[in-house]
């Protein structure tokens, strides 16, 4: 049993807050009278001077790219330059399970330390000439990194120009290895999930979409892809004479089990069509803005009835996995493409919106029975002095703030700003040393 008390306020969801104590037991939020009689099992987190929120849910990440941040030649360039520059460095360093573990561990450590308790890792890049076993090793390495730190993880078996048959065989093998016989690809404890996701119509064939869709249907997996980043609109028009949303509709990839990331270049008609199919969306302003793709019309999507979540995308385009910082950015830039978004709306997007896009309604809120994923944010410092609304201040004030404590499934994984399951400096050094060794080896 874990009790969180004395908070300034607890953000239950986008419309509900409370000053009452929060009780967590057996990995979920419970009633006060559900507490155990054993005092030895009761732990208290003192949240004096703090705002409590659900754990943030990063609905779109590329954890491998944590190893390739601020790569020369990838800033302020067109996608046609960015892609081969990244690919060349992937080839130089070598993608394998060892690199994936180190990169994922660093990315997931950063996530937990910034209040993210669930990460959806859309893994798109695989070793040249890979075999199915190698992809399972890489997916397993990511899952192991998450388990070591205590983070929830969604492994999205992605594809970027992969052979369609090979991608489907790999997805089947990853399901069997990570979540065998699990309903909807979610392990019984809720800590690990598998989904599938081609990179987009600009890179993957109709056959790839079809075969990965078949895998999803067999196992009840979520489907995810990227769409309307602008560059893919241009390529889709050149290659097929149609826009991405038209192609996804034709290929059977619009539906309530599908989440589309980015969506920067949408027409009003496309927004209406997406809402009608119950597709969910993931906003990624920390990637889309520096890449020059524009901003998704989040307010218009939500007004039409589309559930919107939030993601950072990867270190190759964003350089940071700090979802609260990207929530702040989303709030600040919203008036450039439509009505403004309030802080509570954006917190809702970064929690429940992302969770619903993953098919995980138990995440992203703190109602009774919800998962016990919690962040405790200190708002008593000088950066929050004079703040009239401490919930809004989480976004408006103190950019880059970190939570004091983070709880995942009822277990404290960050305590007093430090990881419980690993040393932050060691995690960083391990990745940097591995990269340095591989670069020396290839000189």
């Amino acid at each position: 049993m874990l009790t969180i008390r004395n908070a300034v306020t607890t953000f239950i969801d986008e419309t509900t807050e409370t000053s009452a104590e929060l009780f967590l037991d057996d990995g979920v939020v419970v009633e006060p009278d559900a507490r155990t009689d054993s005092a030895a099992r009761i732990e208290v987190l003192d949240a004096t001077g703090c705002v409590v929120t659900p754990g943030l849910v990063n609905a779109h990440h590329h954890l491998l790219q944590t190893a390739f941040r601020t790569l020369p030649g990838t800033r302020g360039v067109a996608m046609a330059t960015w892609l081969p520059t990244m690919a060349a460095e992937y080839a130089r360093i070598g993608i394998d399970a060892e690199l994936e573990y180190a990169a994922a561990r660093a990315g997931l450590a950063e996530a937990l330390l910034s209040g993210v308790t669930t990460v959806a890792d859309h893994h798109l890049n695989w070793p040249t000439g890979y075999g199915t076993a190698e992809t399972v090793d890489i997916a397993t390495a990511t899952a192991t990194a998450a388990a070591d730190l205590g983070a929830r993880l969604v492994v999205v078996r992605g594809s970027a120009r992969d052979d369609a048959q090979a991608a489907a065989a790999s997805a089947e093998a990853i399901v069997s290895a990570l979540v065998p016989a699990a309903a909807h690809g979610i392990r019984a404890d809720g800590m690990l999930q598998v989904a599938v996701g081609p990179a987009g119509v600009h890179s993957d064939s109709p056959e790839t979409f079809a075969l990965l869709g078949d895998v999803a249907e067999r196992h009840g997996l979520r489907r995810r892809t990227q769409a309307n980043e602008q560059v893919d609109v241009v390529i889709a028009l050149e290659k097929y004479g149609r826009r991405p949303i038209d192609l996804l509709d034709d290929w059977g990839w619009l539906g309530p089990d599908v989440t589309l990331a980015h969506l920067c270049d949408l027409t009003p008609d496309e927004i209406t069509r997406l809402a009608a199919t119950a597709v969910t969306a993931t906003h990624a302003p920390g990637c889309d803005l520096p890449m020059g793709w524009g901003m998704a019309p989040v307010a218009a999507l939500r007004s039409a009835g589309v559930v919107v979540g939030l993601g950072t995308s990867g270190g190759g385009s964003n350089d940071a996995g700090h979802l609260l910082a990207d929530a702040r950015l989303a709030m600040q830039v919203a008036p450039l493409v439509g009505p403004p978004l309030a802080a509570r709306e954006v917190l809702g997007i970064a929690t429940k919106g992302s969770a619903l896009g993953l098919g995980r309604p138990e995440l992203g809120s703190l109602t009774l029975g919800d998962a016990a994923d919690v962040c405790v944010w200190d708002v008593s410092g000088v950066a929050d002095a004079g703040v009239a609304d401490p919930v809004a201040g989480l976004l408006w004030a103190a950019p880059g703030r970190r939570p004091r404590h983070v709880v995942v499934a009822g277990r404290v994984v960050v305590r007093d700003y430090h990881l419980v399951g690993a040393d932050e400096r060691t995690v960083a050094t391990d990745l940097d040393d591995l990269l340095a060794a591989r670069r020396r080896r290839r000189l």
Side-chain angles (χ1 to χ4, degrees):
M1 166 68 68
L2 179 64
T3 302
I4 301 176
R5 60 176 52 145
N6 301 326
V8 173
T9 188
T10 296
F11 178 91
I12 302 296
D13 57 32
E14 187 176 325
T15 61
T16 310
E17 291 161 34
T18 183
S19 58
E21 294 180 343
L22 186 67
F23 301 98
L24 314 174
D25 200 17
D26 290 331
V28 298
V29 180
V30 298
E31 293 268 19
D33 59 9
R35 289 176 291 175
T36 178
D37 292 331
S38 172
R41 287 191 60 222
I42 298 175
E43 179 184 0
V44 175
L45 282 182
D46 184 3
T48 299
C50 298
V51 170
V52 174
T53 71
L56 306 180
V57 180
N58 189 339
H60 188 66
H61 204 325
H62 305 292
L63 286 170
L64 175 68
Q65 292 181 14
T66 305
F68 302 94
R69 301 198 254 201
T70 68
L71 190 66
T74 62
R75 293 297 166 268
V77 299
M79 190 70 163
T81 300
W82 184 89
L83 282 172
T85 303
M86 291 292 291
E89 191 65 7
Y90 293 151
R92 178 187 176 199
I93 297 299
I95 298 173
D96 57 18
E98 181 185 31
L99 176 66
E100 177 62 23
Y101 177 79
R105 190 167 67 137
L108 290 164
E110 178 186 19
L112 290 172
L113 287 166
S114 58
V116 174
T117 53
T118 302
V119 173
D121 177 33
H122 195 172
H123 191 100
L124 296 172
N125 303 99
W126 307 92
T128 301
Y130 68 80
T132 296
E134 291 173 280
T135 67
V136 172
D137 289 345
I138 288 171
T140 300
T142 314
T144 301
D148 288 349
L149 296 170
R152 292 189 195 269
L153 177 71
V154 183
V155 174
V156 185
R157 201 303 179 186
S159 168
R161 299 182 179 85
D162 291 14
D163 174 80
Q165 298 283 347
S170 165
E172 283 282 1
I174 289 170
V175 170
S176 296
L178 298 186
V179 289
H184 306 294
I186 304 168
R187 202 170 65 191
D189 64 0
M191 295 298 290
L192 182 62
Q193 178 179 355
V194 172
V196 295
V201 302
H202 59 291
S203 67
D204 290 297
S205 67
E207 183 185 11
T208 299
F209 276 86
L211 292 181
L212 286 179
D214 289 344
V215 175
E217 184 175 7
R218 278 193 293 276
H219 299 285
L221 310 181
R222 300 290 298 186
R223 296 181 292 163
R224 308 179 66 80
T225 190
Q226 303 170 128
N228 292 58
E229 302 153 293
Q230 291 192 1
V231 62
D232 69 317
V233 175
V234 173
I235 293 173
L237 287 171
E238 291 176 349
K239 190 173 181 179
Y240 299 102
R242 310 187 70 194
R243 288 173 62 85
I245 300 301
D246 297 322
L247 295 171
L248 291 173
D249 195 4
D250 286 352
W251 298 352
W253 270 67
L254 293 184
D257 63 325
V258 174
T259 298
L260 305 179
H262 302 294
L263 297 177
C264 303
D265 181 10
L266 286 174
T267 67
D269 176 66
E270 287 172 337
I271 293 174
T272 300
R273 290 171 63 191
L274 293 178
T277 63
V279 160
T280 56
T282 301
H283 186 31
C287 162
D288 298 337
L289 187 61
M291 292 298 287
W293 295 338
M295 287 290 108
V298 174
L301 285 164
R302 281 168 54 94
S303 179
V306 177
V307 172
V308 179
L310 190 70
T312 58
S313 198
S317 58
N318 185 338
D319 303 302
H322 197 302
L323 196 70
L324 193 73
D326 283 8
R328 184 177 193 266
L329 177 62
M331 180 178 65
Q332 290 179 314
V333 302
L336 298 178
V337 292
L341 295 169
R344 284 169 174 78
E345 289 181 276
V346 179
L347 279 174
I349 289 169
T351 50
K352 182 58 78 175
S354 291
L356 292 176
L358 295 173
R360 304 293 298 277
E362 78 280 14
L363 304 180
S365 54
L366 295 174
T367 57
L368 293 177
D370 283 345
D373 295 0
V374 182
C375 292
V376 179
W377 309 87
D378 192 337
V379 295
S380 65
V382 68
D384 291 287
V387 169
D389 180 346
V391 173
L394 288 178
L395 297 190
W396 285 114
R401 74 167 75 231
R402 283 183 169 190
R404 174 181 285 177
H405 310 301
V406 177
V407 179
V408 181
R411 184 166 70 91
V412 179
V413 295
V414 173
R415 189 185 297 274
D416 292 321
Y417 304 102
H418 294 285
L419 294 168
V420 172
D423 175 72
E424 180 182 354
R425 290 182 182 275
T426 300
V427 171
T429 300
D430 286 350
L431 175 58
D432 287 339
D433 286 352
L434 177 62
L435 292 170
R438 293 194 176 194
R439 287 183 173 119
R440 286 195 301 268
R441 190 173 69 200
R442 286 165 170 78
L443 287 177

